[in-house]
Amino acid sequence: MCGIVGYIGREQAAPVLLEGLSRLEYRGYDSAGVAVFDAEAGTLAVHKAKGRLQVLSEQLHGGADLNSTMGVGHTRWATHGAPSDINSHPQVSHSGRIAVVHNGIIENYAELKAFLMAQGVPFTSETDTEVVAQLIEYFYEGDLLAAVGRVLRRIQGAYALGILCADCPDRIVAVRKDSPLILGYGEGCSLIASDVTAILGHTRRVGYMEDGELAVLTRESIQCYNHLMQPIEKKIVTVDWELDAAEKGGYEHFMFKEIMEQPDALRRCLSPRIREGDIMFEDLSLSQEFLQNMRRIYIVACGSSCHVGMVGKYHLERLTRIPVEVALGSEFRYMDPIVDRHTLVIVISQSGETLDTMAALREARRLGGRILSIVNVVGSSIARESNQVLYTWAGPEIAVATTKAYTTQLALLSLLALWMARRLGAVSGEEFQAALAAFQELPGKMEEVLSRRDSIQYLASRYFNHDSIFFIGRNLDYALGLEGSLKLKEISYIHSEAYAAGELKHGTISLIEDGTLVVALSTYGKLFSKAMSNVIEVKARGADVLSLTVESRGEEMRHTADGVMSIPDIHELLLPCLGVVPLQLFAYYVALMRGCDIDKPRNLAKSVTVE
Ligand code: M6R
């Protein structure tokens, strides 16, 4: 959601900014803009356009038209004010001296705007961001940093800011509070960006800004300050993501590439942690005493990450007998959660920046809970604010619809459940070894499923015209259905709902009529016969049933369902992890056949950094 890039160096800035913004497109946006310092004129040149970045890029001939070596760029996901050229960022003060790009929301913007208007400051946009630009100008008396400092004492909300001043051709000022911003330390250049993929082409050396910090970027160095404006040293880390990991590499869509990358992502995630017949969580230090006194586990997350939590609840409760509650990040703070020092709070997030999840984490920490996060993006806010982090090591995920991050989160949470059960003496050595062996077989079995993707493509061609689809399943299959349904609706725009199969009779079955497509999930062997009864029930009402089951049950299911997708039999701990792959492929092919914008579905953002 919104992307920021800033560059100061010796190269032409605009092409660097446009290339960086193109790598942030996946975050979701509806307009784009850049501001550069025009050295000849001694002013800021600002260019903005509603719509795809391509529109702006064509207007600027790829940036070649703008002769400048410093600037900031932005992709905007509209909150305050409709998507339009005027509301796009950078937002500029009335004299044109200050330009600001912003990710986040200034909560008290209305009051500040009223104050400035009363002083005669004219406004042109509907955005909260313009208030920041105008306020900096209002306080500016020749010292940009001092003016920014005064503004920060007055604004409330979440913000990452990149600031240019026409009087300061040698610096960019950056600020962060509750919205991500990283610093890039290049050779003869300095950069800012919302995430690392935007600057990988220029440097791998990055620093993560903390809340309340400011940075002054020059061509030679970056000086950071804390909220008291005292200079601080920033730790520089070297990122090991490859640039081509964030490129399509011959695939038509990032989503398809990421689906196909899952076996390797799982190997990266699991292999270092399964050694010598044991689970090695070197990155984890939950003492035996804490585990034994643990009274409750919360799993907190949003969207697909929350679906991972639903599966995790079944596994953790079954294996450890400790009560587990799954909470949406957006609800947790308002439910008066029962958290104390004997509570483990597992926070799951691909991006590590989801605002609702982050707010839930902070609330859980305030209440005394122990925070363990499962995160993909190294150094992200959620990772840094947790007591413990397990990284999924899935590599950059660009498509808005999560796939490889989901399966690695799920595998890791399932491994954690097994590890806890073993530490608590709740599983025998034999059961433990059998489960461990299954984790090692998982990537290979997933390759098998992927190699049979043509059969899923065929099924998609039979069903892509439906306009309402129901997913049903029980227990693990219910949790799996939630994810299958979300995957389908977010990229194909088909109305779809997931139901616990037994619940169907309590209302929803009234919607089943001739030709309604029901995707019936029955991978969980213990409940297969119940699942079969539900298939018969909906068939009797005219539904077209597409089933997902395990190979050993495929034949049986083929007698009843109209179409069958199957996965190799595997330990129940890993059924949803393997079972989600045909559902991802089904959603992908359906969206493809409907001509949808698969990697960037309408209205969605990859990283949801507003409440
Ligand atoms: O980065 P996070 O895992 O915190 O994101 C949470 C959700 O926004 C995310 O899982 C979303 O539901 C996916 N786009 C679904 O594919």
Side-chain angles (χ1 to χ4, degrees), residues 471-479 481 498-502 519-522 531 534:
F471 284 71
I472 59 168
R474 288 171 186 260
N475 200 269
L476 292 176
D477 285 320
Y478 169 49
Y499 274 89
V519 180
L521 310 173
S522 59
N534 294 122

Side-chain angles (χ1 to χ4, degrees), residues 407-444:
T407 42
T408 49
Q409 285 169 348
L410 195 47
L412 200 46
L413 183 57
S414 308
L415 194 67
L416 180 69
L418 184 64
W419 177 84
M420 277 188 195
R422 187 66 183 140
R423 293 299 169 276
L424 292 169
V427 286
S428 69
E430 212 175 310
E431 286 165 328
F432 180 74
Q433 290 306 328
L436 265 197
F439 277 93
Q440 285 166 316
E441 288 167 4
L442 177 66

Side-chain angles (χ1 to χ4, degrees), residues 253-363:
H253 296 102
F254 278 112
M255 183 183 176
F256 189 66
K257 174 177 180 246
E258 288 158 8
I259 290 174
M260 298 303 285
E261 282 173 350
Q262 291 180 106
D264 282 343
L266 284 164
R267 284 187 185 101
R268 268 201 309 278
C269 173
L270 295 174
S271 308
R273 289 166 169 143
I274 303 178
R275 279 179 291 152
E276 298 154 27
D278 205 352
I279 300 171
M280 310 284 191
F281 280 132
E282 275 151 13
D283 26 13
L284 197 68
S285 60
L286 286 179
S287 69
Q288 193 63 21
E289 192 196 344
F290 178 81
L291 286 177
Q292 266 155 354
N293 292 312
M294 189 162 61
R295 293 199 198 120
R296 176 194 303 268
I297 299 173
Y298 269 106
I299 303 180
V300 181
C302 296
S304 294
S305 298
C306 195
H307 298 157
V308 169
M310 297 279 292
V311 177
K313 172 185 165 73
Y314 290 125
H315 288 341
L316 280 161
E317 287 188 337
R318 204 166 275 146
L319 286 169
T320 67
R321 308 310 298 154
I322 295 170
V324 180
E325 189 160 343
V326 182
L328 289 165
S330 52
E331 289 293 316
F332 183 79
R333 273 178 297 168
Y334 311 114
M335 58 194 241
D336 206 1
I338 305 166
V339 173
D340 61 18
R341 64 194 175 86
H342 299 297
T343 311
L344 178 66
V345 181
I346 302 177
V347 176
I348 307 176
S349 175
Q350 184 285 129
S351 61
E353 301 292 350
T354 301
L355 195 95
D356 283 321
T357 309
M358 183 73 199
L361 179 160
R362 287 180 178 163
E363 175 65 2

